[in-house]
Amino acid sequence: EGAVVEVAASPYPYPLPVEHTALVMIDFQRDFMEAGGFGETLGNNVALLRASLEPGARLLAAARKAGMLVVHTLEAHKPDLSDLPRSKQLRGNLPPELRIGAEGAMGRILVAGEPGNGIVPEVAPIEGEWQVHKPGKGAFWATGLHEKLQARGITHLLFAGVTTEVCVQTSMREANDRGYECLLVTDATGKPSAAYFPEFKEAAIKMIEAQGGIVGWTADTAAVEAALT
Ligand code: C5J
């Protein structure tokens, strides 16, 4: 039931049932996009991700206008770090003062409620949009997100956010295995020249589309906007 529009996508057109589709904005957090956060402590050039913000904001506006459900995820640990596996805490071989939970330039690194853990203003959530704290890279592990989407009748997911090669790709693969029809919005995850690892991003897009869309579809923001208007 309800309107179904078609997005010009790869590897073939993507039917988008507006009332049964959610936009999932992955981890547009200061911890990944600004200096002094988790992304930078891992040695990344966080400025490279900022190209995702303009298309991300346009996509958000288009989804809101169409009345679609919007879900924002945050990679965020509880202040007592009870949801932080030891393996994740120690990964990277960083000194204790740079690990998750340590005090950084924007508060405790990757801890819920700290300034650095918040979503950047360009794509900030508004009243009524879901905010999902996730302890892992994927949005479906230990979050209850699948059950909530099922209860809401959501069958289709559009993915934007950072980083394509880690949290976006993990979440999309988790969703694909749970039966969702997934579409990666390529420029709203940073243009190919704007990822922590541009070559990983290009490869991620190819992996998704390959074999007849084995993980789902890809399209740019303009294609989604055109379908929704
Ligand atoms: C990472 C993320 N890269 N949001 N997190 O650790 O992609």
Side-chain angles (χ1 to χ4, degrees):
E1 98 249 29
V4 180
V5 298
E6 192 173 274
V7 180
S10 253
Y12 55 91
Y14 175 81
L16 188 163
V18 179
E19 289 164 30
H20 300 282
T21 303
L23 169 62
V24 187
M25 303 282 281
I26 303 276
D27 302 2
F28 271 114
Q29 296 164 265
R30 299 181 66 202
D31 259 322
F32 297 107
M33 316 226 24
E34 293 183 9
F38 180 65
E40 194 181 65
T41 65
L42 295 178
N44 298 300
N45 177 2
V46 295
L48 292 173
L49 299 187
R50 300 198 69 83
S52 60
L53 286 174
E54 188 270 337
R58 279 170 39 218
L59 190 62
L60 193 52
R64 285 172 179 163
K65 197 164 170 218
M68 279 168 45
L69 173 67
V70 178
V71 180
H72 302 262
T73 70
L74 298 93
E75 189 170 341
H77 292 279
K78 294 179 180 160
D80 66 3
L81 305 183
S82 58
D83 57 1
L84 175 63
R86 189 87 178 131
S87 59
K88 184 174 179 183
Q89 186 173 35
L90 297 182
R91 189 68 53 78
N93 211 17
L94 295 167
E97 66 273 16
L98 292 181
R99 290 181 192 155
I100 295 169
E103 200 65 48
M106 296 190 289
R108 293 180 67 201
I109 296 168
L110 228 56
V111 170
E114 297 289 330
N117 207 239
I119 295 175
V120 295
E122 291 89 337
V123 291
I126 57 171
E127 185 76 28
E129 295 177 351
W130 297 2
Q131 292 190 51
V132 176
H133 285 185
K134 60 183 185 59
K137 302 304 178 191
F140 289 83
W141 163 246
T143 60
L145 178 60
H146 180 50
E147 293 70 21
K148 285 180 70 183
L149 291 172
Q150 297 281 104
R152 177 73 182 244
I154 297 294
T155 54
H156 288 55
L157 299 174
L158 309 185
F159 284 92
V162 300
T163 62
T164 315
E165 60 266 33
V166 182
C167 290
V168 178
Q169 185 171 207
T170 302
S171 299
M172 191 166 170
R173 286 173 180 269
E174 286 181 332
N176 187 53
D177 278 354
R178 284 165 177 78
Y180 296 93
E181 305 281 17
C182 298
L183 182 141
L184 177 83
V185 187
T186 53
D187 51 346
T189 66
K191 291 193 201 313
S193 61
Y196 286 157
F197 299 91
E199 70 277 23
F200 288 179
K201 164 138 197 182
E202 301 245 35
I205 291 170
K206 285 189 187 140
M207 281 188 269
I208 288 162
E209 299 170 351
Q211 305 176 72
I214 199 152
V215 184
W217 286 256
T218 69
D220 63 14
T221 299
V224 177
E225 286 175 323
L228 288 176
T229 47

